[in-house]
Each structure stands twice: as C-alpha cells, then as structure tokens.
Amino acid sequence: MIANTLTVVLILAGLVFFAAGTAGLLRFPDVYSRLHALTKADNVGLGLVVLGLMFQASGPADILKLLLIWLLVLAAGTTAAHMVAQRTWTHGEFESDR
Amino acid sequence: MNGLAETLAHTLAPGLLYPTAGAILFALGLYGLIRRHHLVLRILALNIMGSGVFMVLLGVAARGEGPPDPVAQALTLTGIVVAVSATAFALALVVHLTRLTGHAVMLPGPPDDDAPVEDISRGEHHADGGPAASDEDRPS
Amino acid sequence: MNGLLVLFDLVLLAGIVGVAWRCLASTDLFRAVVLFITFGLLLALAWVRLEAPDIALAEAAIGAGITGALLLVTLERLRSIMAERRSGRPHTPPPDPTGPHALLRALHDPPPERRTFLPALTFALVVGGLLVTALWHQPQSTGLEPVVDAHMDVSGVDHPITAVLLNFRAYDTFLELAIVLIALLGAWSLGRHDLIPARPAPGPILPGTLRLLVPVAIVTGVYVLWAGSHAPGGAFQAGAILGAAGILLVLARPHQLPMAPGVPLRLGLTAGVALFLLVGLYGLVAGHGFLGYADAWAYPLILLIEIAATLSIALALVALFVAGRPAGDDA
C-alpha cells in the first residue's frame, strides 16, 4: 500500500521533470541551453521514475537491474548531448535562432 | 444507460480499439504513399502501413480474457524483421538511384527519357557514393 | 473495464496516429525520420499494453533503433551524393557543410499537388473503412493459444513465442532468415562500400563511452538470447542488440573500416540459414519430417539454431548498415 503510493508519487514527480525538460527543448533560444535543459531534466526524471519502480521490484536483482538501466541511459544520453554540442560548436553557431 | 456503458466498454476494449487504430494507421500510410514524392518518405509510409498491420494482428491476438495468442505474436515478430530487411534493401536502392539520376524524388508524369544517366557498365562503382576513388586519394 | 486504462489507450493511440500523420506531412526529410523514430518508440509502448513484451523489445531495438540508424545514414549518403553532384568534384569524404541548413535543402520534398488530394483521400478512406468494418464483424474465437498451450511440454522450451517460432512454425522462421540474407545480397549487388559517412568525433568521450557500452551490449545480447527459452527474448532481439553494438563500432571508426575477412564474414552471415537447413534435413532423414525434432533433442537443437541465427542477424544488420560489398573482393 505504501509502496504503491510511493511509486505513483515518484513517477509523477519524474514526469514533471520530463515535462520541464521538454518545455526547455521547445522554448530555449539556442542549441546549448536546449541540450542542457533536456539532458539534465531527463536524467533526473528517469532517476525518479526508476526509483518509483524499485518499490515494485520483486527482489534485489530487479532493483540492481533498474539501477543499471538508469546508469546506462545516463551514459548514452550524456555522450549524445556532448556530441551534438561539439558538432554545433565546431560550426560556430553562437547566435540564437529565435 | 447500462446498454450505452456496455457498448462503450465493448468498443473501447483493447481487442477492438487497437485493431481500429491499426486500420487508421494503414489508411494513413496509404494516403502518404500516394501523395508524397520523395522516395524515403514513401518508404516511411510503407513502414507505417506495416506497423498498422502489426497493430491489427496484435490487437486481435489480445482479445478475450485469457493470455494472448502466441502464433499471431510470433508472426508479428517475423513481420518486423522482414520489414527492416526490406527497408534496408529499399534504402540501398534509393541511394543507388540517386547516384544515377541525382535526385530521389519521383514526380508524377512520364519519365524524363532525355535525362542523362551515367554509364555504369564499366569501371567500379560504389554503393554509397560516386565513381570509385583511386587508391591515391584514399585517405590513410 | 478500467477507465484509466482506456484513457491511457486513447491518449497513446492519439499520440501514435498524430506522430505518424506529422511524419508523413513534413517537407523536411530529417524531421520525418526523427518523427518516425519517435513513432517506433511509442509503438513499443503499445505492444507492451497489448501484452506482447517480446514484440515490444523487437520494435524498440529493430523498428526504432536499427531502422532509425539506417534512415539517418541514408540521408547522410543522399546529402553527400547531391553535394558532390553540385560541385562536380570526384568522390571525396563528405565536406563539412558551412551550416546545418545548407545541404538540408537537398533533402526537401515539395508539397504534393492539389489534384491527387481527393482521389487519395477517397481511396484511403474506403480501404480504412473496409478494414474497420471487417475487424468489427469478426466472430469471437479463442485463437490458437489453447492449442499452443497443450503442446508446450513437447516443445522443449517454456516460452510460448519461442516454441512457436522455433518449433511449431520453424519453417516460417527459416524463410525469414533467408529473407534477411536475400535483402543483404540485394544491397551487396548494388556496389561496393567505400568511405563510411561518419566523421570522427574528437576527444575521449565517444571512445570511452563505447568502451563502456559495447561490452554491456554484448552481455545483454547473449543474456536475451538465452532468456528467450523461458522469458521474453530470443534470437531476433539478441541479434538486434548485437547488431546495434556493431553499428556503433562502425560509426566510431575514424576513416575507413578495416578490410572485412571475406570467408569468415560469409560463413557468419549464412550460418543461421545453413544450420536451420541442416537441422531440417536431419529431421527429414530421421523420420520426424522436415524441421521436426525428437522430443529429447528439441531444446538443444533450438538453442543451437538460435545461436547461429543471432550471429547471422547481427552480422546482416551491420552489413545492411554499411550497404555495400566489402572492398577487396573480386568484381
């Protein structure tokens, strides 16, 4: 009962972060600030969702698997954001496009 | 009121809602296939039609109260792999066509018979670019 | 009937149809491809909702991941070909564009003309209407699930989908592996591959992340292959995961791929179909019929076929991504 409530609350909190990241993607003026908002907010959002799901897990193995999923998405998402930012930097896009 | 609720419950059950949505996706893909000109967009439209078919198969498989039908699910899995193979081959064909004619858009009307096409009968050619680079310009 | 679940279904399906519509309505190819990848991921959610976790795994890995990579690399190749035609230079590595908008105009689709609107709309509505009517009037039946369930103890595995794919309907899976091979042969018949249109990213981040991700991908792929006998998973999902790791490695090469070893590559690609055929013929000779297994040998044979199929699918997906015969072969 408490576990279910915690799951729902944490997943909703994670969704709020995802929504904030998407709002940043749509509203910020240039690539760097959009990347910053998207990556940070999505990582925290996914962390909260994973934390909420841990209360539904059926053992320590499942908990570790969920943690591993979050860490892998962290690594992949950060690398992707880094590469997008690097590509934009080498093309000299400093001015905003809004 | 109860009759309406029952009909609504029956209509919105996954076993009927998802096949309907799959049929809508199929029709949407068909419309896009006819209307768009770029070949890659047409390949995307074909993939969307395929996904509509998968949604119909899986929706029908999930009907009823028991576990879903594994044969329909296995057929859908086969379909996904076949779809990606066909898409990969189709994309290779589009790249080859672009190399020969310079564009990947098929405009309606009779084909342009006077357009120059490179003579590919001699010399090496490459799947994703122009004529073969000689060994000296190949970067190390 | 859970009202929240119905609401979830409606929102998800509205999202799926909406993304598909915007994907087909976009005039810019890059936007269409990105929307298509999103469409694939939303579909994976729909498959989970329809109690098909195997299909959700396959859709996310193959439908969204591999197809997305294929589409993006094709757009890059098209861009390079059109740029080279404009400049008239001989084939060189794709030049850095002066800005992201310069060559994207090469990948622009003109909006369709007015006169096809009504015929296309009518046709699509008629086809869609006929489909929906047919689907709504289907007779209720239990499907083949009880039949499969009754034969699970002789199938050699515990997971019904793997049992159907590799035992009851093994012939379909055999032909499917042959189709993957034929698609690769078709792509190979179009020419050789030359330079891979990937520019190396300077700095330590990409190689470092690959050093982390590729071993994890390999372990995950092997696990998913083994887990397919009793849980969602199997040869195709495992092949897609390993293929994705291979595509990552191809993309991170600085300039050229090393020469692919000719004979081992071909052996690996045909291993799935060949092993399947051998097992099938052995079954024919031993009296169980083509692709029939003796009951005690069902699980080992299925595992053997799945291992070969995973290897073939992974190699075939990477080869389809590279899309050209390996350099150094005879013409």
Side-chain angles (χ1 to χ4, degrees):
Chain A
M1 185 53 208
I2 295 193
N4 285 349
T5 320
L6 273 175
T7 302
V8 170
V9 165
L10 283 170
I11 291 185
L12 281 177
L15 288 183
V16 166
F17 274 93
F18 273 115
T22 311
L25 175 67
L26 294 173
R27 303 290 298 173
F28 278 166
D30 67 307
V31 180
Y32 306 107
S33 45
R34 281 183 223 152
L35 275 178
H36 184 94
L38 195 62
T39 316
K40 286 218 184 335
D42 279 5
N43 285 344
V44 173
L46 185 65
L48 286 173
V49 168
V50 161
L51 194 57
L53 287 177
M54 281 185 188
F55 288 102
Q56 304 288 323
S58 55
D62 279 357
I63 293 184
L64 284 178
K65 279 185 208 167
L66 285 169
L67 186 64
L68 184 62
I69 290 175
W70 182 56
L71 290 175
L72 285 175
V73 170
L74 228 54
T78 312
T79 311
H82 167 82
M83 291 178 64
V84 172
Q86 192 173 59
R87 174 71 185 274
T88 313
W89 175 267
T90 56
H91 288 142
E93 282 213 347
F94 302 115
E95 65 284 349
S96 87
D97 52 7
R98 224 168 261 282
Chain B
M1 198 54 207
N2 246 354
L4 176 65
E6 245 182 59
T7 343
L8 211 60
H10 174 67
T11 314
L12 293 179
L16 210 50
L17 184 62
Y18 278 87
T20 311
I24 293 177
L25 270 181
F26 187 83
L28 185 65
L30 189 58
Y31 179 77
L33 180 65
I34 299 175
R35 289 273 279 168
R36 304 313 306 245
H37 303 306
H38 201 285
L39 288 175
V40 174
L41 267 178
R42 286 189 161 169
I43 293 174
L44 290 182
L46 281 172
N47 272 13
I48 290 179
M49 285 167 73
S51 301
V53 172
F54 299 148
M55 195 178 278
V56 168
L57 267 176
L58 289 178
V60 169
R63 277 183 186 174
E65 299 300 324
D69 187 353
V71 177
Q73 292 188 352
L75 288 178
T76 311
L77 188 52
T78 307
I80 291 181
V81 175
V82 169
V84 77
S85 319
T87 301
F89 182 37
L91 289 173
L93 282 174
V94 168
V95 168
H96 196 68
L97 181 70
T98 310
R99 191 186 63 77
L100 289 180
T101 60
H103 58 83
V105 175
M106 301 211 83
L107 293 170
D112 191 0
D113 284 329
D114 322 315
V117 173
E118 294 174 22
D119 185 1
I120 57 168
S121 58
R122 29 177 150 256
E124 280 193 11
H125 51 277
H126 292 257
D128 56 1
S134 61
D135 280 323
E136 296 88 65
D137 347 326
R138 197 183 289 268
S140 57
Chain C
M1 270 300 309
N2 195 342
L4 273 182
L5 275 181
V6 170
L7 188 63
F8 176 76
D9 283 343
L10 286 174
V11 170
L12 181 64
L13 288 175
I16 288 176
V17 173
V19 170
W21 171 49
R22 293 313 302 166
C23 166
L24 291 179
S26 36
T27 48
D28 175 30
L29 261 298
F30 183 66
R31 168 183 301 183
V33 168
V34 170
L35 285 174
F36 181 76
I37 298 175
T38 315
F39 171 75
L41 292 176
L42 287 177
L43 270 187
L45 278 183
W47 302 157
V48 171
R49 176 71 184 97
L50 288 175
E51 296 177 67
D54 300 63
I55 320 294
L57 272 176
E59 179 74 46
I62 303 177
I66 304 270
T67 311
L70 283 172
L71 286 165
L72 288 172
V73 82
T74 301
L75 286 190
E76 181 69 30
R77 288 184 182 130
L78 290 183
R79 207 176 290 177
S80 148
I81 293 174
M82 290 177 183
E84 168 201 324
R85 271 186 168 249
R86 255 163 230 183
S87 64
R89 273 177 293 165
H91 187 59
T92 54
D96 278 349
T98 52
H101 310 290
L103 287 172
L104 280 180
R105 271 182 271 108
L107 300 175
H108 177 92
D109 185 25
E113 63 261 345
R114 292 301 301 173
R115 65 186 175 96
T116 58
F117 172 64
L118 213 46
L121 186 65
T122 322
F123 186 43
L125 284 178
V126 165
V127 169
L130 283 175
L131 275 174
V132 170
T133 319
L135 288 169
W136 281 39
H137 287 94
Q138 269 192 325
Q140 275 296 341
S141 76
T142 50
L144 286 170
E145 202 273 331
V147 180
V148 171
D149 210 27
H151 288 86
M152 276 306 292
D153 44 352
V154 300
S155 67
V157 291
D158 292 324
H159 188 53
I161 294 191
T162 309
V164 171
L165 273 178
L166 285 162
N167 195 339
F168 305 141
R169 312 269 324 200
Y171 187 54
D172 297 337
T173 312
F174 168 56
L175 291 180
E176 167 191 3
L177 290 175
I179 287 181
V180 175
L181 192 58
I182 290 175
L184 178 63
L185 289 178
W188 272 9
S189 70
L190 293 173
R192 238 170 265 282
H193 80 77
D194 189 41
L195 301 171
I196 307 299
R199 281 171 284 279
I205 303 268
L206 182 61
T209 309
L210 283 189
R211 243 175 255 134
L212 169 68
L213 285 184
V214 171
V216 172
I218 295 178
V219 170
T220 310
V222 173
Y223 170 71
V224 167
L225 168 64
W226 170 79
S229 60
H230 59 272
F236 299 106
Q237 293 90 333
I241 293 175
L242 294 176
I247 290 179
L248 265 181
L249 286 174
V250 164
L251 280 175
R253 294 299 303 193
H255 296 287
Q256 266 185 316
L257 283 187
M259 300 258 291
V263 172
L265 176 65
R266 283 160 171 78
L267 280 179
L269 283 169
T270 50
V273 180
L275 200 64
F276 228 132
L277 188 60
L278 281 176
V279 170
L281 288 176
Y282 172 70
L284 193 63
V285 161
H288 306 292
F290 184 61
L291 283 176
Y293 313 130
D295 281 352
W297 279 92
Y299 179 55
L301 282 177
I302 287 180
L303 198 57
L304 190 63
I305 292 177
E306 280 205 298
I307 292 176
T310 305
L311 178 66
S312 291
I313 290 174
L315 284 175
L317 287 176
V318 178
L320 280 170
F321 179 81
V322 170
R325 282 200 307 278
D329 279 359
D330 307 321

